[in-house]
C-alpha cells in the first residue's frame, strides 16, 4: 500500500494535467486519475509484465479521458487529434523568471494557438518529462513526429518572445550598489 | 544553419534527447550567434519551471481516491472505462493481461455465488463460514496511532496498542468489526446495514454517527463516548439490556462486573468516583475551554488529555502513548488525581508539567518511568 501511495503521489500531477487538458474539468480529471489507479490496483500483481509503466498509465488516462468526452458530448472526438486541448503551462511566479505578466500572457496565447497534437506533445515532454519515444507511444504517433512537433512548439514560443536585443535584466540593476 | 534546424536541435537539447553530435552542432551555432542566447535562455527558464501541485491537494485527492476505490469494489464499474476493453496493448503478453483481468473478475463473481449458496444451504454452518473467511486486521503498537478507512467509507482513528478486525464480507448485511483498545469512529450512514462494534464486554450498534470506544483489556472500564448521532449498547453477557446513548453521553462499563453479569443491570447515575463498583455508569463527556472537541476524543488530534484521573489510570495512558513502563513502588501516589492536556510534548516535558501540579518525584531511565511521592 505504501508503494501504491508513492506511485500515486508521483504520477498524480502529470496524469491529472494530461487528463485535464482534454476534459477541462479538475473534478472529472481527478476521477479519471482515480479510475486509472483503481485499474492499477486490480492488475497490481502483473505490473511487472508491463514494459513501460509510465507509457501504460498515460495511455489508459488518454483512453479514459476520450471515453469521458465521447460519453458526455454528442459530437465527441473519437481520436486524440480532434480533441481540443488546453495545456496548462503553470508558472506560479513570473517574477522569479524576470518575465512580465504581459509576456506570460503572450506565451500562453502562443501555446494555445498550437495545433492540439503539438500542444499535447509539448505538455507531455515538458511538464511530464516523457521521452520522445514514450510520448510517441502514448499519442500513437512516431517518435520523429514528436521531435518535429516539439520543435514547432518551441519555435512558436521563441518567436513570441521579445526581440533578442531587449535584455532581460539590465546589467546595471544587477550590479549597482543599492 | 536553417531556422528550422536550430529549433529542432534546441528543443532536443531542452528535452534531453539530443545526441552529442547535435549538441556540438548547436554549441557552435550559439557561439557564432550570441544574440540567440538571450532567447534560448528565456525559453530554458520557462522550460525548467514546473510547479507541482501542493501536497495537500494530492493528499486530498488520494483520500478521495481510496474512498472511490472501496466503493468501486463493492459495485465494480469503472466509470470511464468502456465496455469493450480499451486496454492499451502491452508490449509483452498483452492478451494474457486482459484475460487475467476477466479471470479475476469472474473469480470474484464465482466466490460471491458460492458464498451465497453456502449461506442459503448451510445456515447453521454460517458461523463457520464467517470465521473461515479472511480477516483484515489493523493494529497499532504502543507509542503509535493510525487512521484507517473501512470499505464502506467509515473512518477509524486507532489509538496506541489497539486492534481492529473485520471480515472480508464486511459490507454484506451488517458492518461488523471487532475492537480491542481505543478507537474513534466516524461511521458512514447506511440504515440498511447497521454498524456493530464488538468488544470484550459490550456491543455497540450504530447507524451513522461519531463516537469513541475505549476498551483496553487491562483497564477497569469500557467507555463509550458519543459525539453525534445515536448508538445502542448491549452487554455481551446480557443482550436483552439495551442502552441508548444521546449525543455527549458517555457510558462506562465496569469490565469485571460485566463479566460476572447477572440479569439485573442498573444504570447508576454518576455520583462520585467511589461509585465504581456499579456495573454501568452514565455521565457526560467532558469539555474543556479552548478545546474544540470532547476530552475523550482529543487523542485523535494527537493530544493526551487527563481529566481528574488517578495516577494509576494516567500511568496506563502514558505507557501506551510513549511506549514506556511506569513503575510506582509507593501506593500512595496511585490515587492522586491530575488533569491536563498535552500536545506534542515529549515524555520529559509531560512528566515535568505533571510534577508541577502534584507532589511527586520521578525518574526516567530509558523506557522506564519511576514515580514516587
Amino acid at each position: 500500500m505504501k508503494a501504491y501511495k508513492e506511485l500515486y503521489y508521483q504520477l498524480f500531477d502529470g496524469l491529472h494535467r494530461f487528463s485535464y487538458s482534454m476534459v477541462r474539468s479538475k473534478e472529472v480529471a481527478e476521477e479519471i486519475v482515480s479510475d486509472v489507479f483503481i485499474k492499477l490496483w486490480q492488475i497490481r500483481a502483473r505490473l511487472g509484465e508491463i514494459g513501460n509503466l509510465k507509457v501504460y498509465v498515460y495511455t489508459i488516462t488518454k483512453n479514459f479521458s476520450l471515453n469521458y468526452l465521447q460519453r458526455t458530448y454528442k459530437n465527441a472526438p473519437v481520436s486524440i487529434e480532434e480533441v481540443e486541448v488546453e495545456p496548462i503551462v503553470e508558472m506560479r511566479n513570473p517574477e522569479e523568471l524576470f518575465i512580465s505578466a504581459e509576456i506570460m500572457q503572450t506565451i500562453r496565447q502562443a501555446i494555445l494557438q498550437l495545433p492540439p497534437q503539438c500542444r499535447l506533445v509539448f505538455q507531455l515532454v515538458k511538464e511530464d518529462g516523457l521521452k520522445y519515444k514514450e510520448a510517441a507511444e502514448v499519442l500513437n504517433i512516431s517518435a520523429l513526429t514528436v521531435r518535429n512537433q516539439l520543435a514547432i512548439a518551441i519555435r512558436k514560443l521563441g518567436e513570441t518572445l521579445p526581440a533578442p536585443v531587449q535584455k532581460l535584466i539590465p546589467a546595471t540593476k544587477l550590479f549597482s550598489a543599492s | 544553419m536553417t531556422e528550422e534546424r536550430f529549433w529542432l536541435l534546441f528543443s532536443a537539447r531542452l528535452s534531453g534527447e539530443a545526441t552529442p553530435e547535435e549538441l556540438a552542432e548547436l554549441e557552435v551555432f550559439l557561439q557564432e550567434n550570441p544574440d540567440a542566447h538571450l532567447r534560448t535562455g528565456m525559453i530554458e527558464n520557462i522550460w525548467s519551471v514546473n510547479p507541482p501541485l501542493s501536497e495537500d491537494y494530492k493528499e486530498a485527492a488520494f483520500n478521495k481516491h481510496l474512498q472511490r476505490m472501496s466503493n468501486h469494489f463493492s459495485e465494480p464499474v469503472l466509470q470511464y472505462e468502456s465496455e469493450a476493453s480499451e486496454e492499451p496493448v502491452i508490449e509483452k503478453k498483452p492478451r494474457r493481461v486482459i484475460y487475467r483481468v476477466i479471470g479475476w473478475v469472474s473469480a470474484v463473481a464465482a466466490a460471491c455465488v458460492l458464498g451465497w449458496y453456502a449461506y442459503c444451504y448451510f445456515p447453521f454452518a454460517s458461523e463457520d463460514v464467517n470465521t473461515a473467511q479472511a480477516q483484515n486486521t489493523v493494529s497499532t503498537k504502543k507509542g503509535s496511532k493510525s487512521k484507517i478507512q473501512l470499505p464502506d467509507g467509515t473512518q477509524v482513528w486507532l489509538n496506541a496498542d489497539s486492534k481492529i478486525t473485520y471480515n472480508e464480507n464486511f459490507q454484506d448485511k451488517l458492518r461488523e468489526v471487532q475492537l480491542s483498545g481505543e478507537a474513534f469512529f466516524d461511521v458512514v450512514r447506511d440504515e440498511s446495514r447497521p454498524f456493530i462494534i464488538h468488544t470484550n464486554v459490550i456491543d455497540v450498534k450504530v447507524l451513522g454517527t461519531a463516537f469513541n470506544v475505549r476498551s483496553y483489556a487491562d483497564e477497569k472500564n469500557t467507555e463509550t463516548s458519543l459525539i453525534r448521532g445515536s448508538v445502542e449498547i448491549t452487554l455481551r453477557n446480557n443482550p436483552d439490556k439495551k442502552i441508548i446513548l444521546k449525543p455527549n453521553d458517555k457510558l462506562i462499563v465496569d469490565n469485571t462486573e460485566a463479566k460476572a453479569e447477572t440479569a439485573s443491570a442498573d444504570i447508576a447515575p454518576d455520583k462520585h468516583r467511589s461509585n465504581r463498583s456499579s456495573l454501568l455508569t452514565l455521565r457526560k463527556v467532558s469539555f474543556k475551554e479552548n478545546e474544540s472537541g470532547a476530552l475523550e476524543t482529543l487523542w485523535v488530534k494527537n493530544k493526551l488529555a487527563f481529566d481528574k484521573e488517578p495516577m494509576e489510570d494516567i500511568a496506563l495512558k502514558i505507557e501506551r502513548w510513549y511506549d514506556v513502563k511506569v513503575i510506582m513502588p509507593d501506593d500512595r501516589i496511585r490515587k492522586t488525581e491530575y488533569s491536563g492536556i498535552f500536545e506534542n510534548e515529549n515524555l520529559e516535558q509531560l512528566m515535568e508539567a505533571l510534577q508541577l501540579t502534584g507532589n511527586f518525584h520521578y525518574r526516567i531511565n530509558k523506557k522506564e518511568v519511576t514515580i514516587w511521592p
Side-chain angles (χ1 to χ4, degrees), chain A:
Chain A
M1 197 62 189
K2 204 179 155 227
Y4 183 70
K5 187 172 177 179
E6 264 167 32
L7 191 68
Y8 184 92
Y9 272 58
Q10 219 176 72
L11 291 171
F12 180 81
D13 275 359
L15 295 181
H16 186 262
R17 191 165 37 223
F18 183 47
S19 178
Y20 176 84
S21 65
M22 291 179 268
V23 301
R24 294 193 193 176
S25 148
K26 273 195 172 178
E27 290 72 31
V28 173
E30 222 178 284
E31 285 189 356
I32 286 172
V33 175
S34 175
D35 274 3
V36 170
F37 273 87
I38 291 176
K39 188 103 211 160
L40 281 185
W41 179 255
Q42 287 175 341
I43 61 163
R44 63 191 180 279
R46 298 178 304 277
L47 285 182
E49 294 166 18
I50 295 171
N52 185 331
L53 185 65
K54 208 168 179 182
V55 169
Y56 181 79
V57 290
Y58 273 91
T59 311
I60 325 180
T61 306
K62 181 190 75 176
N63 290 345
F64 283 8
S65 302
L66 287 175
N67 288 347
Y68 165 80
L69 291 174
Q70 274 164 20
R71 209 169 295 178
T72 316
Y73 303 106
K74 237 201 224 150
N75 301 318
V78 278
S79 77
I80 194 115
E81 292 91 80
E82 299 167 40
V83 177
E84 276 297 310
V85 182
E86 182 180 329
I88 334 165
V89 182
E90 288 171 88
M91 275 160 269
R92 203 167 19 194
N93 194 351
E95 286 86 16
E96 272 171 27
L97 305 172
F98 307 106
I99 296 172
S100 71
E102 204 180 326
I103 298 178
M104 277 311 309
Q105 196 48 41
T106 341
I107 294 171
R108 284 210 187 87
Q109 278 304 319
I111 295 168
L112 273 175
Q113 277 158 19
L114 296 171
Q117 197 184 58
C118 193
R119 274 186 257 171
L120 275 179
V121 166
F122 178 77
Q123 195 178 310
L124 285 178
V125 178
K126 177 197 176 290
E127 316 272 319
D128 306 331
L130 264 66
K131 298 267 135 211
Y132 285 179
K133 201 171 150 278
E134 295 172 332
E137 260 184 78
V138 171
L139 299 175
N140 215 3
I141 53 182
S142 77
L144 202 66
T145 312
V146 171
R147 185 179 151 105
N148 291 331
Q149 295 280 337
L150 186 73
I152 292 170
I154 298 291
R155 182 177 182 173
K156 278 267 157 48
L157 207 65
E159 283 167 1
T160 53
L161 292 177
V165 246
Q166 214 182 316
K167 299 212 167 174
L168 296 179
I169 326 148
T172 48
K173 203 172 173 185
L174 268 184
F175 298 114
S176 67
S178 54

Side-chain angles (χ1 to χ4, degrees), chain B residues 124-141:
Chain B
F124 303 110
S126 66
E127 197 104 63
D128 296 327
V129 172
N130 280 340
T131 48
Q133 249 161 351
Q135 288 195 323
N136 295 308
T137 301
V138 183
S139 59
T140 49
K141 293 199 179 83

Side-chain angles (χ1 to χ4, degrees), chain B residues 235-302:
Chain B
L235 293 171
R236 300 216 81 166
N237 287 355
N238 184 10
D240 295 335
K241 181 90 189 170
K242 289 182 167 45
I243 301 129
I244 311 274
L245 294 191
K246 289 193 282 298
N248 292 334
D249 278 351
K250 172 176 172 180
L251 182 76
I252 301 167
V253 182
D254 188 305
N255 291 345
T256 38
E257 293 285 322
K259 280 185 183 143
E261 157 68 337
T262 54
S264 60
D266 288 317
I267 300 180
D270 184 39
K271 286 171 196 148
H272 196 262
R273 288 232 162 225
S274 64
N275 208 357
R276 267 279 165 79
S277 59
S278 66
L279 170 62
L280 301 170
T281 312
L282 188 63
R283 52 160 76 189
K284 289 286 174 192
V285 299
S286 333
F287 288 93
K288 278 278 171 294
E289 267 177 58
N290 303 328
E291 291 295 343
S292 53
L295 221 59
E296 283 77 3
T297 63
L298 283 181
W299 65 268
V300 171
K301 294 174 181 155
N302 223 4

Side-chain angles (χ1 to χ4, degrees), chain B residues 33-251:
Chain B
N33 301 274
D35 274 0
H37 262 305
L38 287 170
R39 206 173 244 170
T40 55
M42 201 178 213
I43 296 178
E44 269 162 357
N45 272 339
I46 294 168
W47 186 271
S48 60
V49 175
N50 205 351
L53 287 168
S54 77
E55 287 293 306
D56 285 353
Y57 188 86
K58 269 191 221 178
E59 171 115 33
F62 186 67
N63 286 337
K64 244 190 267 175
H65 163 65
L66 287 183
Q67 169 97 54
R68 286 186 82 243
M69 188 150 90
S70 57
N71 291 347
H72 166 77
F73 285 124
S74 58
E75 201 181 310
V77 186
L78 280 189
Q79 214 173 335
Y80 301 109
E81 187 177 37
S82 57
E83 299 69 29
S85 180
E86 284 229 21
E87 295 256 333
V89 179
I90 300 170
E91 286 161 57
K92 307 172 202 167
K93 315 168 191 163
R95 301 212 139 211
R96 228 170 121 204
V97 171
I98 296 166
Y99 286 137
R100 285 221 203 146
V101 171
I102 293 166
W104 184 86
V105 171
S106 46
V108 170
C112 291
V113 172
L114 276 180
W116 188 73
Y117 270 103
Y119 184 77
C120 290
Y121 289 98
F122 308 104
F124 303 110
S126 66
E127 197 104 63
D128 296 327
V129 172
N130 280 340
T131 48
Q133 249 161 351
Q135 288 195 323
N136 295 308
T137 301
V138 183
S139 59
T140 49
K141 293 199 179 83
K142 285 186 179 177
S144 72
K145 291 186 275 301
S146 177
K147 185 190 170 191
I148 55 168
Q149 180 157 331
L150 298 178
D152 68 333
T154 290
Q155 316 250 31
V156 183
W157 286 258
L158 210 53
N159 206 346
D161 192 20
S162 303
K163 188 172 90 176
I164 189 165
T165 309
Y166 58 95
N167 281 333
E168 288 283 290
N169 67 345
F170 173 72
Q171 299 224 67
D172 281 0
K173 281 182 175 165
L174 291 174
R175 298 173 284 169
E176 285 179 291
V177 299
Q178 182 80 39
L179 170 74
S180 71
E182 180 166 26
F184 181 81
F185 295 86
D186 196 341
V187 177
V188 169
R189 194 169 185 88
D190 182 351
E191 281 170 39
S192 61
R193 289 176 303 177
F195 192 101
I196 298 176
I197 297 149
H198 303 285
T199 74
N200 270 339
V201 295
I202 56 168
D203 291 338
V204 184
K205 184 175 159 190
V206 301
L207 296 172
T209 138
F211 59 98
N212 193 69
V213 178
R214 183 176 178 93
S215 170
Y216 284 107
D218 57 353
E219 288 188 352
K220 281 201 249 15
N221 299 320
T222 296
E223 299 183 359
T224 312
S225 306
L226 184 64
I227 303 307
R228 59 178 155 76
S230 77
V231 299
E232 180 187 287
I233 296 167
T234 48
L235 293 171
R236 300 216 81 166
N237 287 355
N238 184 10
D240 295 335
K241 181 90 189 170
K242 289 182 167 45
I243 301 129
I244 311 274
L245 294 191
K246 289 193 282 298
N248 292 334
D249 278 351
K250 172 176 172 180
L251 182 76

Side-chain angles (χ1 to χ4, degrees), chain B residues 220 309-312 331-338:
Chain B
K220 281 201 249 15
E309 285 174 55
M311 185 52 104
E312 56 187 348
D331 269 350
R332 277 176 291 168
I333 191 76
R334 287 178 179 273
K335 302 289 177 201
T336 322
E337 291 180 352
Y338 296 92

